[in-house]
């Protein structure tokens, strides 16, 4: 008895390399792209540990929890870290990055999250990239939540290490991820005596044993199902067109914000300015006296499949996430989420206009 998920022919090096090439085309990059066999935290940590050390002075922009994590990794590597915290309801500006360089001209590494799905903000990477290029620092970007929801252009923006994952807007698997690496970044890693070697975190192992070897022999047995799922989701994006996929995410975000404002009940967008709100997910602030996690539990009671979640950690009391990404970047998902939230607010005695919210969704969807 055979099973289509289990009894598969081995994934060849040629097939693996062809999937890497398709991911590179998705990113529009001429840089090397390495597909790593784990969730995106693998290349995110591996890239920091490979490219930083005691001689590094890093500007770490914090617009959400992942920025905090990057700072911890950098310190663990021995780097001098200059944190640039930004309120989670907004985005960092290029001027603030420029000011940081003026105050600390020794900065030679910048870590930034493009879109923070956890807080719902997105940062102006193109403008920030210009500032970083002016000062010659290495640019590390977490684009896991932004890829396929908004433009991600590592070459045009001067990004040296761009990490992506497929589990959000791409609508793909969580078990594999990818990083594009510039020649400058490879050189920084090669010169770093603390860069991981003979390690699952090692990017240099992939460079020396896979890329420099002509991509003919894999380092280890690949995560076959996840690789095939990644190939399938890239094929789907290619068939739909990347612009169309991004447009769906932008429409979902605009419709969610419009619907929430029409819904009332004290619910409002957590990120104040629409221009600073991530298209991958919309975060909402609950009214005073309402606990976000409890409201989400009420909303999910009727339909547990809705893409709703409370914020993480301390944000669980005040923030709700509408995760309208991937297969949920649809008008129907947005309508269902707002309807469920409206019903849950109504059960708590708050005045809501569910029909008005649904009309606003239809009007705002473009």
């Amino acid at each position: 008895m055979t099973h289509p998920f289990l009894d598969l022919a081995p994934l060849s090096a040629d097939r693996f390399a062809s999937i890497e090439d398709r991911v590179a085309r998705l990113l529009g990059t001429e840089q090397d792209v390495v597909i790593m066999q784990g969730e995106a935290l693998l290349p995110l940590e591996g890239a920091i540990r490979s490219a930083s050390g005691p001689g590094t002075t890093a500007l770490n922009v914090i617009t959400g929890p992942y920025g905090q994590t990057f700072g911890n990794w950098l310190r663990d590597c021995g780097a001098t870290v200059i944190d640039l915290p930004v309120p989670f309801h907004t985005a960092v500006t290029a001027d603030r990055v420029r000011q940081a360089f003026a105050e600390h001209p020794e900065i030679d590494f910048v870590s930034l999250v493009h879109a923070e799905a956890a807080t719902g903000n997105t940062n102006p990477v193109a403008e920030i990239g210009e500032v970083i290029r002016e000062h010659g620092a290495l640019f590390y970007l977490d684009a896991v939540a932004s890829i396929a929801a908004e433009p991600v252009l590592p070459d045009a923006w001067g990004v040296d290490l761009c990490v992506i994952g497929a589990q959000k807007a791409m609508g793909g698997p969580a078990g594999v991820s990818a990083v594009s690496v510039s020649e400058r970044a490879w050189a920084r890693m090669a010169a770093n005596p603390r860069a991981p070697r003979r390690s699952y975190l090692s990017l240099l192992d992939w460079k020396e044993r896979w890329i420099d070897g002509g991509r003919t022999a894999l380092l280890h047995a690949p995560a076959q199902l996840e690789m095939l799922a990644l190939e399938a989701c890239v094929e789907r994006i290619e068939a739909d067109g990347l612009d169309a996929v991004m447009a769906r995410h932008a429409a979902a975000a605009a419709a969610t914000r419009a619907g929430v404002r029409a819904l009332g009940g004290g619910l409002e967008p957590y990120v104040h300015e629409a221009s600073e709100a991530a298209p991958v997910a919309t975060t909402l602030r609950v009214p005073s006296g309402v606990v976000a996690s409890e409201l989400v539990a009420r909303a999910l009671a009727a339909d547990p499949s809705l893409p709703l979640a409370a914020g993480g950690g301390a944000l669980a009391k005040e923030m709700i996430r509408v995760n309208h990404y991937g297969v949920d970047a649809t008008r129907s998902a947005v309508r269902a989420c707002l309807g469920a939230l409206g019903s849950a607010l109504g059960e708590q005695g708050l005045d809501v206009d569910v029909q008005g919210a649904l009309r606003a969704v239809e009007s705002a969807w473009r």
Side-chain angles (χ1 to χ4, degrees), residues 47-53 55-58 106-110 136-139 160-161 181-195 204:
I48 280 182
R49 295 194 181 278
S50 295
S52 66
T56 302
T57 300
E106 69 275 19
I107 291 169
D108 62 359
F109 186 99
V110 178
L138 206 72
F139 189 6
D160 295 288
L161 293 158
V181 187
S182 72
E183 289 301 322
R184 291 198 324 146
W186 284 131
R188 177 80 68 97
M189 293 179 204
N192 180 11
R194 292 196 176 192
L204 284 172

Side-chain angles (χ1 to χ4, degrees), residues 37 41 43 64 132 145 164 186 190 204 232 277 286 322 327 330 347 356 366:
Q37 304 299 283
L41 282 174
I132 295 171
I164 65 169
W186 284 131
L204 284 172
V286 298
V322 182
V327 296
T330 63
E347 291 173 6
R366 294 287 184 270

Side-chain angles (χ1 to χ4, degrees), residues 251 254-256 258-259 330-332 334-336 338 355-366:
T256 302
T330 63
R331 184 188 282 105
S332 60
V334 171
R335 286 173 57 92
L338 292 178
Q355 292 306 312
L358 299 181
R359 288 193 296 271
V361 168
E362 296 302 319
S363 179
W365 193 279
R366 294 287 184 270

Side-chain angles (χ1 to χ4, degrees), residues 37-358:
Q37 304 299 283
E39 198 271 340
L41 282 174
L42 174 61
L44 286 169
E45 182 176 358
I48 280 182
R49 295 194 181 278
S50 295
S52 66
T56 302
T57 300
L59 175 65
N60 179 51
V61 182
I62 302 175
T63 57
Y66 281 97
Q68 294 169 332
T69 297
F70 300 159
N72 292 336
W73 286 338
L74 286 160
R75 289 182 178 89
D76 189 52
C77 291
T80 299
V81 181
I82 299 156
D83 284 327
L84 177 54
V86 179
F88 290 175
H89 65 264
T90 186
V92 72
T93 64
D95 284 343
R96 289 203 63 187
V97 174
R98 184 176 286 108
Q99 180 182 352
F101 273 108
E103 295 171 356
H104 302 278
E106 69 275 19
I107 291 169
D108 62 359
F109 186 99
V110 178
S111 52
L112 175 70
V113 179
H114 187 183
E116 283 266 14
T119 50
N121 53 34
T122 192
N123 292 300
V125 181
E127 299 169 19
I128 293 168
E130 290 183 10
V131 176
I132 295 171
R133 281 198 300 273
E134 291 170 5
H135 293 85
L138 206 72
F139 189 6
Y140 163 100
L141 183 70
D142 171 356
V144 174
S146 53
I147 184 66
E150 55 187 304
V152 177
L153 303 168
D155 291 10
W157 296 342
V159 179
D160 295 288
L161 293 158
C162 183
V163 177
I164 65 169
Q167 69 267 34
K168 288 189 168 63
M170 288 178 66
V176 289
S177 48
V179 54
S180 63
V181 187
S182 72
E183 289 301 322
R184 291 198 324 146
W186 284 131
R188 177 80 68 97
M189 293 179 204
N192 180 11
R194 292 196 176 192
R197 299 284 190 134
R198 296 168 296 281
S199 164
Y200 206 57
L201 288 170
S202 178
L203 287 170
L204 284 172
D205 287 356
W206 282 97
K207 163 77 169 155
E208 294 170 358
R209 296 170 57 191
W210 171 245
I211 295 172
D212 292 349
R215 299 194 299 177
T216 59
L218 290 161
L219 274 64
H220 47 71
Q224 182 159 335
L225 284 174
E226 287 81 0
M227 288 297 295
L228 295 176
L230 175 61
E231 182 181 50
C233 85
V234 173
E235 286 179 350
R236 187 165 60 187
I237 292 170
E238 291 171 347
D240 291 346
L242 179 58
D243 288 344
V245 175
M246 292 191 295
R248 285 202 297 269
H249 286 82
T256 302
R257 290 178 69 87
V260 165
R261 294 191 186 283
L263 180 64
L267 204 62
E268 60 184 23
Y270 190 89
V271 177
H272 296 177
E273 300 296 329
S275 61
E276 297 176 344
V280 69
T282 298
T283 48
L284 309 173
R285 189 185 299 276
V286 298
S288 177
V290 174
V291 177
S293 58
E294 295 176 0
L295 186 67
V296 168
R298 285 177 177 268
L300 292 177
D303 185 356
S305 69
L306 292 177
L308 289 172
L315 294 175
K317 293 183 177 180
E318 65 181 75
M319 179 192 286
I320 292 172
R321 287 170 48 188
V322 182
N323 295 317
H324 45 66
Y325 55 71
V327 296
D328 290 315
T330 63
R331 184 188 282 105
S332 60
V334 171
R335 286 173 57 92
C337 287
L338 292 178
L341 290 172
S343 296
L345 287 166
E347 291 173 6
Q348 295 190 260
L350 295 167
D351 185 20
V352 294
D353 181 3
V354 173
Q355 292 306 312
L358 299 181

